[in-house]
Amino acid sequence: MKFTAGMWCLQEGVRIDWMSNVERVRTEKESASLLLNKFQRHRGDTLNSATILAHVTSPQEGIIGVKLVHWAGQVDRGPHYQLNYGSGHSNIRHDKVNNCLLYGSGPLTLDINTSPNELAFAFNAPAQKKLTGHSWRSIGYVGDQRSQRYDPADGIYAEREGYMLAGLDLGVGEKVYGLGERFGPLVKNGQAVEIWNEDGGTSSELAYKNIPFYMSSRGYGVFVNHPGKLSLEVQSERTTRVNISVPGEEIEYFVVYGETPKDVLRRYTALTGRPGLVPAWSYNLWLTTSFTTNYDEHTVTGFLDGFRERDIPLGVFHFDCFWMKSYQWCDFEFDEDMFPDAGGYLKRLKERGLRISVWINPYVGQASSLFEQGKKNGYFIKRTDGSVWQWDFWQAGMAVVDFTNPAACKWYSQHLERLMDMGVDSFKTDFAERIPVKGIKYHDRSSPERMHNYYALLYNRIVYETLNNRVGRAQGLLFARSTAPGGQAYPVHWGGDCESTFEAMAESLRGGLSLMLSGYVFWASDIGGFEGTPPPALYKRWVQFGLMSSHSRLHGSSSFRVPWIYGEDCSEVLRECVRRKILLTPYILQEALRGHREGTPLMRALFLEFPQDLNTYAVDTQYMLGSNLLVAPVFAENGEVTFYVPCCDDRDGPGKWISWFDHGRSYEGGKWYSETHGFDTFPLLIRPGSVTVVNTRLQVPEGDALAGIEMWVNQPLSEETVVEIVNPSQTDEVLKTVRVEVSGDGKSIECDDHSVEVVLINQVA
């Protein structure tokens, strides 16, 4: 939200009490508190003006938090994000002679200037490199009379809408990323961002997944610890700052330092929660009924037979909304008119080797048999008069399950368990963005405004935990649309409603990369686009992109996504893409386990992997899949694509990138290339100096992990490479560790496990 009108003026009706001075300092063992006030000329200036208390802490090594409080008398009704706090890693020194407070946490320091009327914060990396901070007029309390709350008839008691405002400095050339799944430019500079979950599709500034965390190209990230609505003006109000504003009386943010972008994500996910893992079978191809199409068994069986006849691997079948009777979403009952033998139907699908997913949401339509149960037992969000909150937007008379009520959670979970007893393996947790905020109350009395985004966490958590309680750790997964900070613990998330165009395919990629710069490891898009019917060229190109995403689902709105509808050549493209992904299963499992440990996503913006190459920081039409594979989707019907090949670091040695499809074709780092591809290829390059583990014998991702393992080596290797073979039956376990290195004479590659085949994909003279 903008409050200023240029450098000198404020917008009409706005007043800001800017903090300019440190009135006093108090230090404790691991924290410091500073009383901030306006510019002080004499003692009379302490009157009739706001103060702000700045409380400095460090939850973990390399992270420093600042909490700014105007009025401390507010009622805190929550909710709060669950953060992981530690102790014993901070140090404080108040230098009264030089008028500064020095607060350190590992390699990160905060230097606060306490000289009279010279207030400034500087977050510094080692060697006193400034990362960000607060400079002149960047901490303030805003009083805004442009609201219904303000009545001038109240005279001196007239209340303005209050906001906390914190402006964090940006340096020359500094770029900002993340803030959740945002579909505009990957670089967020110049954008105004509202952190507020909305069901807006993929082609606007609205987002399903709003994460108040941004990453800077300068070597740090900022997490704003506030579950309610907040606004960020990223060089869009002051060109030298990110201005963060929060309604109310306090704001807390954490600066997260990292020597590399990966280090920033490692520390951020250590604070907010490590990403969860998913079962190996989920990496196979998913097929859905689509939204409003025919779901009857004859139609579905015909599709499944078509996949089998064309030898296209298929791992998961998903039933979208109309598996339940219209107006009754959600009652968790198969529509008996469409599915007279639902249990038998699911059993027949399972006999084909398929896993089953079904669509759900956290709403209960008035026509559902569960509505009266929920009303009677208080399982729904209520109005302040005690009645059930209802509306007709989506399902007629629908109510919203109140997941702050433990009894409601148990009730909801029992219905999921009943479906799991029938053979359901996963749930698509759709919606959870349209959560009311006015005139309502929760069971635990949480603040409705703060619950709006947070609600998605409660919804996904109860479903995810229900699944994992049944199948065991790392073996359950969702297919979720909305989320909030910490939601990376409940994978997977998909990109929402996109159109069937090349432009929507590109915006989907930007959204996925932004989300995965916000602490998430797994992501998918609707292959072919959700709205509309894709032309064959788009279908094939999206298949190539979608099968090089962490998760791959064919899904649409009013049209099916089986390939032969678009031409038999589409079936050929899909078959080859699925097979390629399956043979990459050992590599994907290894990279996913690293993501679980360290917060590094499977799909990576180029700069995350190559921070030393400044050319990578603006690229948003390609990505790395794991550490070794560069993917440049084709976004044009004629097959033309321009892509950048990054400069590698010393670890990679002097080698060249190699084409996956033609090992005789090589690429030099630091150059742009333009090519035209048929539908049998696209730019998929293997990193120099890398070892990529594959298994060409696999028929399904959950197959034998050890039989048929190959190490694809792009020479020369500059150092020993350690490869972990992950157990596909328990994806948080390592079956064996294999080491690959250059032989003592420097002329060959040696592997310490002779059962593993080493394949040299290039020959070095």
Side-chain angles (χ1 to χ4, degrees):
M1 180 176 290
K2 294 182 175 69
F3 300 107
T4 61
M7 286 184 64
W8 315 118
C9 300
L10 301 177
Q11 294 193 18
E12 189 69 29
V14 171
R15 181 186 69 204
I16 302 180
D17 289 314
W18 294 112
M19 300 297 104
S20 300
N21 182 64
V22 177
E23 181 71 14
R24 60 182 63 100
V25 177
R26 186 179 74 241
T27 61
E28 298 179 8
K29 184 178 180 181
E30 293 194 43
S31 65
S33 297
L34 303 93
L35 185 64
L36 313 181
N37 56 3
K38 70 177 185 179
F39 191 91
Q40 298 294 299
R41 298 163 299 178
H42 48 71
R43 298 184 73 177
D45 284 335
T46 62
L47 303 176
N48 303 320
S49 180
T51 62
I52 289 177
L53 181 68
H55 189 59
V56 182
T57 58
S58 175
Q60 294 196 20
E61 181 266 344
I63 303 176
I64 294 178
V66 176
K67 187 173 186 178
L68 302 170
V69 180
H70 173 231
W71 286 340
Q74 306 302 300
V75 176
D76 182 0
R77 293 188 288 145
H80 302 280
Y81 293 126
Q82 296 179 4
L83 305 182
N84 300 311
Y85 288 87
S87 61
H89 43 256
S90 58
N91 58 82
I92 309 167
R93 182 167 64 89
H94 185 195
D95 187 342
K96 297 181 180 179
V97 175
N98 294 304
N99 292 316
C100 65
L101 176 72
L102 299 175
Y103 188 99
S105 176
L108 179 64
T109 60
L110 170 58
D111 186 343
I112 302 177
N113 188 344
T114 60
S115 300
N117 297 319
E118 296 291 338
L119 173 65
F121 285 48
F123 291 91
N124 298 315
Q128 288 300 108
K129 173 192 173 184
K130 182 180 176 181
L131 302 173
T132 187
H134 295 294
S135 49
W136 182 70
R137 287 192 171 183
S138 60
I139 298 176
Y141 180 71
V142 179
D144 191 345
Q145 71 183 44
R146 302 170 300 178
S147 70
Q148 296 179 353
R149 182 177 182 178
Y150 182 79
D151 185 352
D154 292 337
I156 64 170
Y157 299 104
E159 294 191 26
R160 298 169 180 243
E161 196 69 40
Y163 297 84
M164 293 298 296
L165 175 61
L168 287 168
D169 298 333
L170 291 175
V172 176
E174 185 174 352
K175 295 177 176 61
V176 172
Y177 305 88
L179 298 173
E181 183 190 42
R182 317 208 76 83
F183 302 102
L186 182 67
V187 179
K188 300 300 182 284
N189 300 59
Q191 299 182 40
V193 177
E194 298 282 328
I195 301 296
W196 193 248
N197 287 0
E198 298 273 14
D199 175 10
T202 67
S203 58
S204 75
E205 78 281 7
L206 303 181
Y208 304 101
K209 308 170 187 67
N210 289 268
I211 310 296
F213 169 77
Y214 66 83
M215 180 184 291
S216 165
S217 61
R218 205 173 178 88
Y220 69 94
V222 174
F223 171 56
V224 186
N225 185 25
H226 184 76
K229 190 171 189 177
L230 62 98
S231 301
L232 298 98
E233 299 289 343
V234 187
Q235 281 194 318
S236 49
E237 183 175 19
R238 287 294 298 274
T239 59
T240 57
R241 291 178 187 162
V242 176
N243 277 359
I244 308 168
S245 60
V246 170
E249 305 302 318
E250 64 180 49
I251 183 173
E252 182 178 33
Y253 67 85
F254 295 93
V255 172
V256 183
Y257 170 69
E259 291 185 9
T260 68
K262 289 182 181 178
D263 287 335
V264 174
L265 286 180
R266 176 178 58 81
R267 285 196 169 103
Y268 168 70
T269 55
L271 178 66
T272 59
R274 294 295 191 204
L277 280 169
V278 297
W281 58 259
S282 72
Y283 296 113
N284 208 335
L285 179 64
W286 296 48
L287 174 67
T288 88
T289 54
S290 294
F291 175 29
T292 59
T293 53
N294 185 3
Y295 294 20
D296 67 78
E297 185 168 1
H298 175 74
T299 301
V300 171
T301 300
F303 288 155
L304 299 180
D305 288 342
F307 273 83
R308 179 177 291 175
E309 292 163 4
R310 293 166 176 83
D311 196 23
I312 302 173
L314 183 64
V316 184
F317 188 79
H318 168 75
F319 291 91
D320 218 55
C321 310
F322 281 99
W323 69 275
M324 292 176 284
K325 194 179 290 293
S326 58
Y327 295 112
Q328 295 181 193
W329 307 340
C330 274
D331 62 3
F332 307 101
E333 297 283 353
F334 277 86
D335 182 347
E336 68 277 6
D337 295 330
M338 187 71 72
F339 309 104
D341 177 25
Y345 184 16
L346 296 190
K347 182 179 179 181
R348 289 187 286 277
L349 292 177
K350 304 279 279 191
E351 288 171 349
R352 289 175 172 262
L354 294 170
R355 302 281 180 162
I356 305 298
S357 168
V358 297
W359 176 96
I360 60 173
N361 58 205
Y363 313 138
V364 177
Q366 187 168 281
S368 167
S369 61
L370 302 184
F371 182 85
E372 284 301 320
Q373 291 182 31
K375 175 184 174 182
K376 177 182 178 182
N377 294 295
Y379 294 158
F380 300 139
I381 295 173
K382 296 179 180 179
R383 298 186 185 275
T384 52
D385 65 2
S387 62
V388 174
W389 185 90
Q390 293 178 262
W391 68 348
D392 292 330
F393 195 26
W394 186 241
Q395 290 292 281
M398 73 171 214
V400 181
V401 178
D402 183 351
F403 291 115
T404 74
N405 183 345
C409 292
K410 183 177 180 181
W411 174 69
Y412 197 88
S413 179
Q414 286 173 343
H415 289 292
L416 303 179
E417 290 171 347
R418 175 170 51 80
L419 288 167
M420 293 165 68
D421 289 339
M422 292 178 64
V424 172
D425 299 285
S426 181
F427 298 98
K428 174 182 171 180
T429 51
D430 206 353
F431 283 84
E433 306 92 8
R434 297 173 182 173
I435 305 302
V437 296
K438 291 186 176 181
I440 66 165
K441 62 181 179 180
Y442 283 90
H443 174 81
D444 72 349
R445 306 296 177 179
S446 286
S447 162
E449 194 269 344
R450 292 171 68 94
M451 274 295 300
H452 176 84
N453 290 350
Y454 194 90
Y455 184 90
L457 284 185
L458 299 181
Y459 171 39
N460 288 326
R461 180 188 301 157
I462 188 63
V463 180
Y464 186 77
E465 290 180 350
T466 300
L467 282 162
N468 276 339
N469 287 341
R470 173 69 64 89
V471 298
R473 70 184 194 279
Q475 296 305 296
L477 82 158
L478 317 172
F479 223 82
R481 189 171 76 173
S482 59
T483 190
Q488 63 266 17
Y490 318 119
V492 167
H493 296 80
W494 103 96
D497 300 345
C498 48
E499 297 173 323
S500 296
T501 65
F502 281 108
E503 292 78 11
M505 180 178 156
E507 75 196 13
S508 294
L509 172 57
R510 295 194 300 267
L513 293 180
S514 287
L515 181 68
M516 284 176 283
L517 290 170
S518 307
Y520 287 70
V521 167
F522 305 107
W523 177 85
S525 61
D526 287 342
I527 295 176
F530 178 72
E531 290 291 347
T533 300
L538 173 64
Y539 182 92
K540 286 179 280 191
R541 294 305 183 190
W542 210 318
V543 160
Q544 292 176 334
F545 162 49
L547 268 299
M548 291 302 288
S549 302
S550 83
H551 286 77
S552 310
R553 185 180 71 149
L554 296 166
H555 184 55
S557 176
S558 56
S559 57
F560 295 112
R561 290 290 179 267
V562 291
W564 53 89
I565 289 179
Y566 306 93
E568 284 301 337
D569 57 335
C570 295
S571 299
E572 296 173 11
V573 172
L574 180 61
R575 178 174 56 250
E576 294 310 307
C577 288
V578 179
R579 285 177 174 173
R580 178 169 51 250
K581 187 176 183 185
I582 290 175
L583 74 85
L584 278 167
T585 298
Y587 172 73
I588 292 172
L589 290 175
Q590 174 188 243
E591 295 292 329
L593 183 55
R594 288 176 180 169
H596 169 65
R597 293 168 177 167
E598 302 173 8
T600 305
L602 265 174
M603 300 171 68
R604 304 170 190 173
L606 293 190
F607 79 87
L608 191 65
E609 194 65 37
F610 304 99
Q612 79 286 349
D613 185 346
L614 299 183
N615 291 316
T616 62
Y617 281 82
V619 178
D620 62 7
T621 54
Q622 58 190 88
Y623 58 96
M624 294 293 294
L625 182 66
S627 302
N628 297 351
L629 301 179
L630 184 148
V631 183
V634 178
F635 296 107
E637 185 171 0
N638 61 6
E640 292 181 356
V641 55
T642 297
F643 57 97
Y644 179 71
V645 178
C647 291
C648 294
D649 54 28
D650 293 339
R651 185 207 78 175
D652 302 300
K656 295 182 180 181
W657 294 77
I658 300 296
S659 168
W660 176 280
F661 299 100
D662 179 0
H663 292 173
R665 186 174 181 84
S666 63
Y667 299 81
E668 293 185 13
K671 291 187 176 182
W672 287 89
Y673 292 84
S674 292
E675 297 178 345
T676 300
H677 284 260
F679 293 112
D680 57 340
T681 64
F682 59 97
L684 174 58
L685 311 185
I686 304 172
R687 184 177 185 165
S690 67
V691 178
T692 305
V693 55
V694 302
N695 190 331
T696 56
R697 297 187 199 173
L698 283 179
Q699 300 299 309
V700 291
E702 63 271 30
D704 189 334
L706 299 178
I709 285 289
E710 297 178 5
M711 301 294 174
W712 288 13
V713 179
N714 185 2
Q715 301 184 83
L717 294 184
S718 60
E719 60 184 13
E720 178 185 83
T721 300
V722 177
V723 176
E724 292 182 325
I725 310 301
V726 176
N727 183 358
S729 299
Q730 191 64 53
T731 55
D732 59 353
E733 294 180 352
V734 176
L735 292 176
K736 70 163 58 177
T737 299
V738 180
R739 289 174 169 79
V740 182
E741 61 183 339
V742 180
S743 65
D745 59 11
K747 296 182 179 179
S748 61
I749 302 297
E750 293 184 345
C751 178
D752 68 350
D753 187 330
H754 297 294
S755 68
V756 173
E757 182 179 358
V758 175
V759 179
L760 304 182
I761 64 171
N762 68 331
Q763 298 296 324
V764 178

